[in-house]
Amino acid sequence: MPRRTIDDGDGRSALAAVQGGSTARTDVATAVRWTLQRLAEDVPGNSVEVRVPPYAAVQAIPGPRHTRGTPPNVVETDAATWIALATGTLRWDQAVEAARVSASGSRADLTEFLPVRLAG
């Protein structure tokens, strides 16, 4: 089954709504899924799993492919933190220092991939 993708226009609209203060579940879900989609498109791979529960998770970043059990490289955060990271309003080191993101594994530092490229 092909992976469903979010249209860039829909993603940008949802992201703008969230950045404007919307807390509607559909806006947040679409913004999170779209920014994760963009990350996975821009940095394809399977070595890091980026999770933003309950909305989505993607695998990205080149490197060894993970196939079974818990991935060795995992990044997990909440929706507000992910959106801030993806848009550049929060730096990776700030999020880690404030314990707003959990990152485990040698490849789980997303510094060089943030902010996510949202123009396209």
Side-chain angles (χ1 to χ4, degrees):
M1 170 180 239
R3 190 173 9 164
R4 203 170 69 193
T5 59
I6 297 169
D7 175 78
D8 285 340
D10 294 340
R12 282 190 195 96
S13 293
L15 182 59
V18 170
Q19 289 178 309
S22 174
T23 58
R25 183 171 171 79
T26 56
D27 289 337
V28 174
T30 301
V32 166
R33 290 176 183 142
W34 181 66
T35 53
L36 285 171
Q37 172 185 304
R38 294 307 304 246
L39 174 71
E41 289 170 355
D42 288 348
V43 195
N46 297 96
S47 69
V48 179
E49 186 166 292
V50 183
R51 301 173 180 168
V52 183
Y55 301 107
V58 297
Q59 290 189 354
I61 318 301
R65 182 175 185 87
H66 167 73
T67 57
R68 300 185 74 174
T70 301
N73 301 289
V74 176
V75 171
E76 188 166 326
T77 191
D78 62 274
T81 300
W82 171 250
I83 289 171
L85 287 166
T87 60
T89 60
L90 177 65
R91 289 191 335 255
W92 177 259
D93 61 328
Q94 294 170 320
V96 171
E97 186 176 306
R100 293 180 60 185
V101 65
S102 169
S104 63
S106 61
R107 296 177 177 271
D109 182 339
L110 300 183
T111 302
E112 71 178 281
F113 311 113
L114 298 171
V116 174
R117 186 181 60 85
L118 301 176

